[in-house]
Amino acid sequence: GVDIASIQRITNQFFAQEQLSAGASASQYDTMANLFDQLNGALGGPGDNQSLATGLTNLASAFATASQAPTSSASRTGVMNALNGLASDFANVGGTISAMRSQIDQQVVNSISSTNTLIKQIYDLNTQIRNASSGGDNNSALLDQRDTVLNSLAQIMDIKTTPNADGSVSVSTADGVNLVANTYAQLSYQPGSSNGTYGAITISNLNPSTGATVGSDQILDPHIGSGSLRGLIDMRDGTLSDLQQELGSFAQATAVAYNTQNNA
């Protein structure tokens, strides 16, 4: 015989895992899209007073005016003012990027706090479901509650779930780092940067009875494949960090180009 109920449960588990994976990916890109919107608004577009494009245009216009009367003090003052304005634009954009990275870092802190809370909730619900199952209760309300918490956790980071015979569910990252089993994980992070570089998120497993750490800590960042936390880390350490370096290189190249021409 075929156990229809068992087959139905396996089918549901497959679709439930697909839903969790899709939710994690969607959450990652939604997070990044919102941050890109903030960045675009802060940097401005061509024609906006605070944009680099406007500063460069103003400088070009000042040089064009000065070329008509190169010995005029007014012409020289106009060029100097335009150069100072462009330098301020570089500084403002650099400050905006730094502020965004700090803002994102605080969001990482908040996400880790939420993750720890959700992991502990799943472990506690597993215990309640296991006890209810042993007493013959179908515990459907607890199962629904656990599914809700799992969906919330999957919004933050991609997870893999494995149902157990006693009604509990084991949870790990997509590549197998344990989050919930007989122990449960706790994430740790020290916010702030050192010379523009941010630290790693670490993960440890706790003994539920004693609260003591089981095994050694490990770095979690490489094991976060998607979710809002992945989006925050990629924007902070990737997109915005690269943009900040490109801005510095652009500012330096601009200064060298104008100084070279002035010396000539």
Side-chain angles (χ1 to χ4, degrees), residues 66-172:
S67 68
Q68 304 301 315
T71 60
S72 167
S73 61
S75 296
R76 296 182 180 183
T77 299
V79 171
M80 183 60 67
N81 289 338
L83 284 167
N84 286 333
L86 181 61
S88 295
D89 291 337
F90 276 117
N92 290 338
V93 172
T96 296
I97 296 173
S98 294
M100 280 197 67
R101 294 186 74 194
S102 296
Q103 168 203 324
I104 292 171
D105 191 49
Q106 185 56 52
Q107 290 179 260
V108 170
V109 172
N110 296 338
S111 292
I112 289 172
S113 176
S114 298
T115 299
N116 286 334
T117 299
L118 293 169
I119 288 174
K120 183 60 165 59
Q121 286 178 352
I122 294 169
Y123 179 85
D124 290 341
L125 285 166
N126 271 347
T127 301
Q128 296 176 50
I129 290 169
R130 190 183 299 113
N131 293 337
S133 296
S134 64
D137 190 344
N138 62 15
N139 55 67
S140 58
L142 290 173
L143 290 171
D144 289 343
Q145 187 177 347
R146 189 179 64 189
D147 285 345
T148 299
V149 180
L150 286 169
N151 282 322
S152 297
L153 180 59
Q155 296 294 308
I156 300 175
M157 57 186 294
D158 53 325
I159 58 174
K160 178 182 177 182
T161 61
T162 304
N164 301 313
D166 59 5
S168 65
V169 63
S170 298
V171 185
S172 67

Side-chain angles (χ1 to χ4, degrees), residues 233-246:
I233 293 172
D234 285 351
M235 287 295 292
R236 185 196 64 188
D237 299 342
T239 302
L240 292 178
S241 177
D242 293 344
L243 180 59
Q244 205 161 31
Q245 293 181 22
E246 291 171 5

Side-chain angles (χ1 to χ4, degrees), residues 43 50-57 59 83 85-87 89-91 93-94 97 241-259:
L43 296 184
Q50 77 271 26
S51 72
L52 286 176
T54 299
L56 290 167
T57 299
L59 182 57
L83 284 167
L86 181 61
D89 291 337
F90 276 117
V93 172
I97 296 173
S241 177
D242 293 344
L243 180 59
Q244 205 161 31
Q245 293 181 22
E246 291 171 5
L247 179 68
S249 298
F250 180 39
Q252 183 179 25
T254 301
V256 168
Y258 282 119
N259 285 332

